[in-house]
């Protein structure tokens, strides 16, 4: 065997060894992931309610469930939620850092359609047959630099896509709550350390009132929802007159006149256009352009000059001023 063939043979053997090692390690990882998942379901008596077709995991800490079915309720009122895939990745549960990413693909009800069809938000636009929706969530809490971040994205085909992100300061108390969840607050984390931050977020109280919001960003892209809402508004909020020409043309003209009047009002008194919301001229015009269909996207930025604590955001003054929080966070809108 010449030198080149020996090298190729050695490379092939090495590749087989690596592949075998990877498969063995992945099998161990999957087994451990499944054991932890069953322990979680058993703790809350949910094993009979949650099923999946397959589970795979990598040695680097990611895991994927496919063909998930979750039964909600019991008896004649029981209902199934079907999820095509759930993927967990970027898991870290060290003393100084906690992070995770969860991707949930194609969430549907018994009818194979989106669960969001049952919400008043979707029904307000006159649709109840949307296809399954998907979402992704990731978070990071860092003890050393005392910062955290949360990102959420949602895709609902034939309605809208949305993204939301949150940046935080002073998160060490939140990390302590997450660590406590491992020992004494099992209802928070269910035994999964990397779920601790989410559980802790549900217990916002005196211990983490010092936590600060550094920035909030969000955006929504219309994929049919706003257009249907406009159509319904023209159909139900305007009565065509018999001698005014085609009803459709009358409705279009009425809507354009309303939009033009709104733009003029945005320039003169922007806070009066949307029920007293604290909008500047450009904010008002951006929101109006999204509502009227001039733009298919709306973005929200809240980047206050100084971070705002949770205590400031949720104190009693918000009852007297429903827009107090967005005033503190200095909201700005764009397209």
């Amino acid at each position: 065997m010449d030198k080149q063939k020996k090298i190729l043979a050695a490379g092939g053997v090495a590749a087989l060894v690596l592949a075998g090692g990877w498969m063995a390690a992945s099998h161990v990882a999957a087994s451990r992931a499944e054991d932890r998942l069953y322990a979680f379901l058993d703790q809350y008596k949910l094993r009979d309610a949650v099923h999946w077709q397959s589970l795979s995991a990598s040695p680097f800490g990611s895991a994927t469930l496919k063909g998930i079915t979750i039964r909600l309720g019991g008896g004649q009122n029981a209902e199934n939620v079907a999820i095509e895939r759930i993927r967990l990745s970027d898991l870290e549960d060290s003393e100084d850092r906690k992070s995770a990413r969860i991707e949930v693909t194609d969430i549907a009800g018994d009818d194979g359609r989106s669960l969001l069809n049952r919400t008043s938000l979707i029904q307000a636009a006159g649709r109840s047959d949307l296809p399954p929706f998907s979402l992704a969530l990731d978070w990071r809490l860092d003890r050393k630099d005392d910062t955290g971040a949360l990102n959420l994205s949602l895709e609902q085909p034939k309605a809208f896509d949305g993204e939301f992100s949150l940046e935080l300061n002073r998160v060490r108390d939140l990390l302590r709550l997450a660590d406590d969840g491992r020992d004494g607050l099992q209802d928070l984390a269910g035994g999964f350390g990397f779920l601790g931050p989410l559980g802790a977020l549900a217990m916002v109280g005196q211990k983490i009132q010092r936590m600060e919001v550094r920035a909030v960003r969000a955006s929504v892209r219309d994929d049919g929802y706003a257009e249907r809402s406009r159509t319904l508004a023209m159909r139900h909020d305007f009565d065509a007159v018999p001698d005014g020409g085609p009803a459709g043309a009358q409705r279009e003209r009425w809507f354009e006149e309303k939009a033009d009047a709104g733009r003029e009002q945005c320039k003169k008194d922007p806070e009066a256009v949307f029920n007293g919301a604290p909008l500047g001229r450009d904010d008002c015009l951006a929101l109006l352009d999204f509502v009227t269909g001039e733009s298919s996207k709306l973005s929200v930025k809240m980047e206050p000059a100084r971070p705002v604590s949770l205590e400031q955001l949720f104190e009693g003054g918000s009852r007297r001023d429903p827009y107090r929080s967005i005033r503190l966070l200095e909201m700005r809108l764009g397209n």
Side-chain angles (χ1 to χ4, degrees), residues 23-102:
M23 293 177 64
S26 294
H27 175 74
V28 173
S31 176
R32 290 176 178 172
E34 195 161 36
D35 288 344
R36 294 179 70 185
L37 185 52
Y38 277 130
F40 170 77
L41 295 176
D42 286 340
Q43 181 177 358
Y44 292 98
K45 297 180 174 59
L46 294 173
R47 186 183 283 218
D48 292 338
V50 181
H51 302 276
W52 55 88
Q53 294 177 356
S54 66
L55 184 152
S56 60
S58 81
F60 297 119
S62 65
T64 301
L65 287 168
K66 292 184 179 180
I68 304 98
T69 303
I70 303 172
R71 190 181 72 250
L72 303 177
Q76 295 181 344
N77 296 322
E79 183 176 12
N80 291 324
V81 175
I83 301 173
E84 180 181 294
R85 185 182 66 180
I86 299 176
R87 175 175 168 78
L88 304 177
S89 59
D90 299 331
L91 305 180
E92 184 172 344
D93 183 30
S94 66
E95 182 180 355
D96 290 327
R97 184 183 173 91
K98 300 189 187 298
S99 65
R101 177 172 175 80
I102 303 175

Side-chain angles (χ1 to χ4, degrees), residues 76-216:
Q76 295 181 344
N77 296 322
E79 183 176 12
N80 291 324
V81 175
I83 301 173
E84 180 181 294
R85 185 182 66 180
I86 299 176
R87 175 175 168 78
L88 304 177
S89 59
D90 299 331
L91 305 180
E92 184 172 344
D93 183 30
S94 66
E95 182 180 355
D96 290 327
R97 184 183 173 91
K98 300 189 187 298
S99 65
R101 177 172 175 80
I102 303 175
E103 300 168 66
V104 189
T105 304
D106 286 351
I107 307 168
D110 282 327
D111 57 3
R113 297 172 177 172
S114 173
L115 288 177
L116 297 181
N117 287 323
R118 303 164 195 184
T119 66
S120 58
L121 175 68
I122 295 298
Q123 292 172 358
R127 277 295 287 270
S128 59
D129 60 346
L130 296 176
F133 75 98
S134 302
L135 61 85
L137 173 69
D138 65 79
W139 65 87
R140 170 191 57 80
L141 298 174
D142 195 301
R143 188 186 304 274
K144 289 184 178 179
D145 61 17
D146 205 12
T147 64
L150 173 71
N151 301 288
L152 170 69
S153 64
L154 185 148
E155 296 181 6
Q156 175 56 76
K158 300 184 179 180
F160 54 79
D161 300 335
E163 295 183 353
F164 172 85
S165 66
L166 175 67
E167 295 180 13
L168 300 168
N169 288 338
R170 297 186 175 183
V171 301
R172 287 178 182 143
D173 286 337
L174 185 58
L175 277 161
R176 291 190 189 99
L177 281 177
D179 287 334
D180 289 344
R182 188 184 297 113
D183 299 321
L185 300 176
Q186 293 299 318
D187 287 342
L188 290 181
F192 285 88
F194 61 81
L195 287 181
L198 282 184
L201 279 172
M203 294 185 63
V204 172
Q206 290 184 350
K207 289 186 177 180
I208 56 175
Q209 284 186 357
R210 293 174 60 251
M211 193 163 64
E212 297 174 336
V213 176
R214 189 169 74 244
V216 179

